[in-house]
Amino acid sequence: RRLTAMTDTVAAAPDSGRSLWKALGPGILFAGAAIGVSHLVQSTRAGASHGLALIGFVLLANAVKYPAFRFGPQYSAATGTSLLEGYRKRGKVALSLYLLVTLGTMLTVQAAVALVTAAIFLALTGIGLGPVVMVAILLAFCIGLLAVGQYRWLDAVTKVAVGTFTVATLIATAVALPRVSGPFVPDFGTFTTADVLFLAGLVGWMPSAIDISVWQSLWTLARARQTGDRPTVRGAVFDFHVGYFGTVVLALCFLVLGAAVMRGVDLGNAPAAAVGTQLVSLYAETLGEWTRPLIGASAFLVMFSTTFTVVDGFPRALAVLADRFRGPEVPEEATGEGDRRVYWGGTAVLFGGSLLVLHFALSSLGAMVDLATTLSFLTAPLLSLLNHRAMLGAEVPPEGRPSAALRWASWGGIVAQSAFAVYYLALRFG
């Protein structure tokens, strides 16, 4: 009764502009984590290969995943606990499934985003380091920032990065837009198996993997602890919308840039060390040399914010997950932090494991990105279902629950993602 009364009060409390501003943060972190390989590489590859013909798939992917992503921060605002507590209340099997998904994707995801970040940095600076060494330096730098500033620095650095690359990308897109030509409608008769497999990768990380809904739930709690002001459901959803719809706009921007600047270029088969040079040089040659610093800075900040948030996201989820296996989460004590020993242990595993993945799979950027995005694509229906069940749990007060329309949209997203996954498996292994 005490929990219900408290969450009812929070859910029903009116929002002022000041409280909405205080809630702003986890949504920006979501954008920082999402706008990375899915946008800079996958959206650009889609535009380069198919013009604007795949714009419908980009919008569809964002639409079917919207409820699952929204439920992360909404659950935390409504209950005062993390989404992982919602999983625990459904049973430890749900926690175990999330653990398996996390362990199965974390190293490849971190390796892929860090590799693209390192490649772009090397292209911009001309430093004569190998990509794996550069990845190690970048990861160590991110870990150092987190060790010193924890959530406060994560929030501040990501806001600066996201704001800067958003402005730069919008300017670059406006310059490139007059160069866009067809096709504008997909010709499915010409689609090959490779095209369908690429679509699986595009959808898998568009706007990102469903894992990030758990991260944003934890960031919502960490933000509340930082500001001393727990967000209402309305405030958390407002913050989510800022980040989510921002990622949609930027996904379309990179699709336009790919169609305008890179038509016919096979980015997927480029050596990893050359990807940064290829991206920045092609944009500069087409749009004008004056755009090189703009495009370079935008591309690097896109990827650095992703690398930075992923370095925090996976260990943070593992740390809270370890606590949830031990017992329930108390709303008054929920901080989104978890067991710090597990956090730093997970960070060490992420650092070393990512470097090992790169050591053995450095030959093609496309293959690595496609592997990471396809794993996310195949696990998306399961995580969406877990989020749906948590959001409808008895612990969520009526004022914090999704509307009937959102519930149906959630079911539609789960069915659509499941159908896509089954079709992909049938095509890949049938």
Side-chain angles (χ1 to χ4, degrees), residues 34-339:
I35 304 169
V37 172
S38 61
H39 292 59
L40 186 64
V41 177
Q42 298 293 76
S43 289
T44 305
R45 285 171 66 186
S49 301
H50 301 279
L52 298 184
L54 299 185
I55 190 171
F57 286 96
V58 171
L59 294 175
L60 179 62
N62 282 280
V64 300
K65 292 183 180 180
Y66 168 84
F69 280 118
R70 171 172 166 166
F71 290 164
Q74 184 168 339
Y75 183 91
S76 288
T79 66
T81 60
S82 71
L83 189 57
L84 289 175
E85 173 63 10
Y87 289 4
R88 190 198 65 81
K89 289 182 181 297
R90 313 286 84 79
K92 288 192 176 180
V93 171
L95 290 178
S96 299
L97 289 173
Y98 179 77
L99 176 61
L100 290 175
V101 169
T102 299
L103 295 178
T105 58
M106 59 185 288
L107 297 184
T108 308
V109 169
Q110 183 70 85
V113 299
L115 176 61
V116 179
T117 309
I120 295 173
F121 183 80
L122 292 173
L124 288 174
T125 62
I127 296 175
L129 295 176
V132 178
V133 175
M134 193 66 244
V135 165
I137 294 172
L138 281 172
L139 291 179
F141 179 67
C142 291
I143 292 170
L145 288 177
L146 291 171
V148 173
Q150 298 184 31
Y151 177 85
R152 179 170 53 87
W153 281 29
L154 176 71
D155 181 77
V157 172
T158 305
K159 281 179 177 176
V160 172
V162 169
T164 303
F165 76 64
T166 297
V167 172
T169 302
L170 290 174
I171 293 173
T173 304
V175 173
L177 195 58
R179 300 174 180 268
V180 176
S181 58
F184 300 101
V185 178
D187 182 3
F188 294 110
T190 64
F191 268 42
T192 64
T193 300
D195 289 323
V196 176
L197 298 180
F198 168 70
L199 276 177
L202 177 68
V203 172
W205 264 4
M206 183 54 63
S208 189
I210 301 294
D211 310 45
I212 297 184
S213 60
V214 172
W215 302 1
Q216 193 172 2
S217 166
L218 301 175
W219 289 330
T220 298
L221 296 175
R223 175 67 175 173
R225 183 189 185 193
Q226 179 199 25
T227 62
D229 185 12
R230 180 176 151 195
T232 62
V233 170
R234 180 171 175 262
V237 171
F238 167 78
D239 169 65
F240 166 74
H241 283 160
V242 170
Y244 198 82
F245 291 120
T247 68
V248 176
V249 170
L250 290 175
L252 299 179
C253 286
F254 281 107
L255 191 73
V256 168
L257 286 168
V261 176
M262 304 182 72
R263 286 288 285 133
V265 176
D266 187 3
L267 178 63
N269 292 325
V275 169
T277 303
Q278 187 178 27
L279 277 170
V280 177
S281 295
L282 280 172
Y283 281 117
E285 290 168 8
T286 304
L287 302 178
E289 193 62 31
W290 69 272
T291 65
R292 184 181 294 273
L294 178 69
I295 294 296
S298 176
F300 175 72
L301 287 171
V302 164
M303 292 311 308
F304 178 77
S305 68
T306 304
T307 300
F308 192 34
T309 50
V310 171
V311 167
D312 176 78
F314 279 120
R316 183 182 293 268
L318 289 174
V320 176
L321 187 62
D323 282 348
R324 298 293 69 76
F325 273 113
R326 298 188 190 110
E329 189 170 23
V330 180
E332 293 85 350
E333 300 173 2
T335 63
E337 298 290 340
D339 189 323

